[in-house]
Amino acid sequence: MGPPKQLKRAFLGFDLSTQKLKAVLLNCKLEVIAAAEVKFDTDLPEFRTTGGANNGPDKNEYFVQPVMWVKAMDIVLDRLVMQQADLSTVVAISGSGQQHGSLYWSKHGIKTLQNLNSEKFLHAQIDDSAFVVNRTPIWMDSTTTKQCLEMEMAVGGKHKMAQLTGSKCYERFTGPQIRKIYQKRCHAYEEAKRISLVSSFISSLFLGSICPIDFSDGSGMNLLDIRKKIWSKECLNVCAPDLDERLGVPVSPNTVVGNVSKYFVKRFSFSPDCKVIASTGDNPSALAGMLVNSKWLTISLGTSDTLMMSLKEPLNWEEGHVLCHPTETEQYMTLLCFKNASLVREGINKTTSGGNWEKFNEYLESTPRGNFGNMAVHFNDMEIIPRAQGVLRFSSPQIEIRALIEGQMLHHRSVAEDLGYRFGQETHILVTGGASVNKSILQTIADVFNSPVYTQDEGHEAALMGAAYRAAYALYLQELDKTGTPLCYRDYILSLTTNKLNLVCEPNKDSEQIYAPMLLRYREMARILADPYK
């Protein structure tokens, strides 16, 4: 079982998301004992971000100044101290970082990181001179269409790229972004001694040296061979020269990369024995924070709707993403994103119910399941899967609302099934995100997927909690007696804390009978709508 619980042991997790940096301190029972956050727009106005990012001069160009993130770390740690958080009890640290962002270290920056002065703030030392690119691209940037086409053609097409790396080339992915910097700013690329992801950057700050990229976040770059869990030479060669030297060797998300640097020991009273764990991306970290197994489907209802599933073997998808699993390191996770989500729901709520969600739910519940056979398509913006745009609506608010919610969920289920995922009697669904508080929508999900639906306490902080949980698990694996058989991640975390899953609703008995024919019709509607864009 590993070491006994020690009352003074604590675990520290960070989530560097688009809009804020959050920190959480958990005790030995994985209970929250302190938390703090820094909102970039309001707490760091000098960087002039909107929604945590800056607009570039070109259309769809977005960037962040890395020093903003460094300064945010100064502030969030001070805010923990102001809460009288005892950082000397922290035995392990890990993080979650927004996926697809990249940072380009200068030789001077690496040297500074290794020789930090505890009398000074981090941002006073790791300043603009630490990076050769001071406007670093983040996931919102989609200005790399040319680089995506070049990389796919060079490896043999979209299917080959997806087979190798888990995804076809996407404009926001790190590989195409690196290639663009190599092509547009060749001198800066030559001067870059190491390249970090946002996640590995977090661990690097605490380690006092450049931390390796973990292969779960690394599988969102179009550069990692997801089966071998090493950089694909084919992809590196078509991206930029000598890239392997700049990326370093990828490691398991469970890796203890070293002890915290002397800077944090002296400035914040961390123990010199405190371990730094490899950080990972926010989507993998969210899965780690949800404490579900391979029989579960996770649906996040947000600005985009996101479906996440665990798989023992990767599916060969040309659409969607297959990533290396963040905790069961021999397995995989899948990610499907749908663009037309909460904004569409909010728009229909405004036009049919005056923005009143209670009235919206009354309309939804007053219409029978199946909606008399009426189905809607609401692709206000160009949808990701399928690539289609168009709207089919109804005049009656009752029919319109049920057609909207059923249509969105039929869309999600049909895409997942078409890509190879199979729903069965053992499938359970965890719903997170803003709309997870709406029981009427959750009941529709239960019926369309013919599966029970759960929510999770603190589900909105899944990525943050996942970072702290992974810190605890990686330390457990290191401290485990070599003769012992380790618990799997989920069993270990649940041995320390209660399962925070709550059953909200179950499908009606005739759900499959109602929705199976509608799935067939919906697929045909979506196919026809997508046809002009082929």
Side-chain angles (χ1 to χ4, degrees):
M1 288 293 293
K5 296 176 185 175
Q6 299 175 27
L7 294 178
K8 284 293 185 181
R9 289 162 69 94
F11 307 98
L12 186 57
F14 294 91
D15 178 29
L16 205 173
S17 65
T18 310
Q19 299 186 39
K20 62 182 74 171
L21 172 64
K22 294 173 285 189
V24 67
L25 186 65
L26 306 184
N27 63 16
C28 63
K29 296 181 180 179
L30 302 186
E31 299 166 332
V32 177
I33 51 178
E37 67 178 32
V38 177
K39 296 179 180 178
F40 302 139
D41 290 0
T42 53
D43 289 324
L44 294 166
E46 64 269 33
F47 293 97
R48 299 181 179 180
T49 58
T50 301
N54 301 100
N55 289 78
D58 297 331
K59 185 181 178 182
N60 298 322
E61 182 179 5
Y62 295 91
F63 67 89
V64 162
Q65 297 174 67
V67 177
M68 181 180 76
W69 293 334
V70 180
K71 196 168 185 179
M73 186 62 75
D74 280 321
I75 298 172
V76 83
L77 287 168
D78 279 341
R79 287 179 177 175
L80 285 175
V81 171
M82 288 172 66
Q83 294 180 43
Q84 298 183 330
D86 185 358
L87 298 181
S88 69
T89 64
V90 177
V91 290
I93 302 169
S94 193
S96 157
Q98 53 178 281
Q99 290 201 267
H100 317 308
S102 49
L103 301 94
Y104 302 78
W105 292 91
S106 67
K107 182 178 179 180
H108 170 74
I110 295 172
K111 187 176 180 181
T112 301
L113 185 62
Q114 294 169 340
N115 297 280
L116 292 170
N117 182 346
S118 61
E119 299 296 320
K120 299 179 180 179
F121 287 112
L122 280 173
H123 73 271
Q125 303 173 78
I126 305 175
D127 55 17
D128 283 345
S129 65
F131 308 98
V132 298
V133 176
N134 294 126
R135 294 185 166 195
T136 193
I138 62 169
W139 68 272
M140 297 167 67
D141 188 282
S142 57
T143 59
T144 58
T145 304
K146 171 179 175 287
Q147 289 76 22
C148 287
L149 292 172
E150 290 169 349
M151 289 179 67
E152 285 178 343
M153 287 177 64
V155 300
K158 289 181 181 180
H159 183 72
K160 180 66 181 298
M161 179 64 76
Q163 196 172 35
L164 272 172
T165 72
S167 304
K168 68 180 184 183
C169 267
Y170 282 89
E171 283 88 350
R172 64 186 184 275
F173 273 35
T174 327
Q177 294 288 350
I178 292 172
R179 180 164 177 78
K180 180 186 172 184
I181 286 173
Y182 164 65
Q183 291 178 333
K184 301 282 187 180
R185 304 184 61 185
C186 186
H187 180 70
Y189 179 81
E190 291 295 332
E191 290 294 315
K193 298 304 175 185
R194 289 294 297 270
I195 298 174
S196 292
L197 297 182
V198 179
S199 58
S200 62
F201 165 73
I202 299 169
S203 292
S204 297
L205 289 179
F206 286 95
L207 188 63
S209 61
I210 304 302
C211 179
I213 294 169
D214 84 290
F215 52 63
S216 187
D217 199 5
S219 52
M221 299 174 71
N222 286 136
L223 295 176
L224 189 89
D225 184 323
I226 60 169
R227 289 168 177 81
K228 297 179 180 178
K229 296 179 174 61
I230 58 175
W231 302 122
S232 163
K233 289 184 178 180
E234 286 181 81
C235 296
L236 294 182
N237 289 342
V238 303
C239 182
D242 303 318
L243 186 50
D244 54 343
E245 298 172 9
R246 291 167 171 81
L247 295 176
V249 179
V251 297
S252 163
N254 293 332
T255 302
V256 176
V257 293
N259 288 3
V260 71
S261 75
K262 292 180 181 178
Y263 175 87
F264 293 94
V265 174
K266 293 179 179 179
R267 188 172 181 89
F268 294 101
S269 301
F270 279 89
S271 165
D273 296 322
C274 175
K275 305 301 180 187
V276 179
I277 314 304
S279 296
T280 194
D282 53 359
N283 287 307
S285 191
L287 187 63
M290 291 171 188
L291 303 178
V292 296
N293 60 27
S294 59
K295 296 175 183 177
W296 287 73
L297 165 71
T298 299
I299 303 177
S300 175
L301 301 175
T303 305
S304 296
D305 283 354
T306 305
L307 273 63
M308 287 191 284
M309 301 156 274
S310 297
L311 294 172
K312 292 186 177 179
E313 295 294 334
L315 300 172
N316 291 323
W317 287 2
E318 269 196 36
E319 305 294 342
H321 315 295
V322 179
L323 306 175
C324 297
H325 202 285
T327 58
E328 304 304 320
T329 52
E330 297 303 313
Q331 296 185 21
Y332 300 85
M333 64 174 285
T334 58
L335 198 66
L336 295 173
C337 293
F338 302 98
K339 193 171 185 178
N340 294 280
S342 68
L343 296 181
V344 177
R345 290 188 286 269
E346 289 167 9
I348 297 297
N349 179 33
K350 194 173 292 185
T351 57
T352 60
S353 312
N356 186 324
W357 283 105
E358 288 186 10
K359 189 173 182 181
F360 180 97
N361 291 342
E362 285 178 14
Y363 283 145
L364 178 59
E365 293 171 5
S366 68
T367 313
R369 288 169 293 112
N371 204 18
F372 309 106
N374 295 307
M375 291 188 294
V377 175
H378 287 275
F379 295 164
N380 296 2
D381 296 318
M382 182 66 71
E383 188 50 82
I384 299 170
I385 312 173
R387 181 171 170 75
Q389 189 169 13
V391 175
L392 172 63
R393 295 189 58 174
F394 299 93
S395 56
S396 161
Q398 293 91 336
I399 291 178
E400 174 68 32
I401 287 172
R402 179 160 284 278
L404 164 71
I405 302 301
E406 286 186 345
Q408 286 184 325
M409 298 312 144
L410 286 165
H411 176 213
H412 300 351
R413 179 173 176 176
S414 65
V415 169
E417 288 184 338
D418 289 348
L419 292 173
Y421 190 80
R422 293 291 171 258
F423 300 98
Q425 291 183 342
E426 295 182 337
T427 301
H428 294 69
I429 299 174
L430 173 61
V431 181
T432 67
S436 63
V437 298
N438 189 318
K439 189 173 179 181
S440 300
I441 292 178
L442 298 189
Q443 184 61 59
T444 306
I445 294 173
D447 289 330
V448 171
F449 283 86
N450 195 29
S451 301
V453 168
Y454 296 72
T455 57
Q456 182 180 31
D457 296 343
E458 300 168 345
H460 61 292
E461 298 287 8
L464 178 62
M465 298 299 288
Y469 289 167
R470 288 194 317 100
Y473 185 64
L475 185 66
Y476 156 74
L477 291 179
Q478 187 188 66
E479 293 178 337
L480 184 69
D481 186 331
K482 292 183 179 179
T483 61
T485 301
L487 294 172
C488 72
Y489 170 84
R490 183 171 183 265
D491 288 348
Y492 177 72
I493 299 301
L494 291 178
S495 75
L496 301 179
T497 187
T498 55
N499 195 331
K500 299 177 175 65
L501 298 176
N502 308 299
L503 176 64
V504 179
C505 46
E506 297 188 76
N508 288 282
K509 292 182 179 180
D510 57 353
S511 291
E512 191 67 12
Q513 181 183 347
I514 291 172
Y515 290 108
M518 294 180 73
L519 273 168
L520 296 175
R521 288 178 53 216
Y522 188 88
R523 283 186 173 93
E524 183 62 16
M525 288 167 59
R527 185 192 67 77
I528 293 170
L529 199 59
D531 192 61
Y533 297 97
K534 289 185 177 178

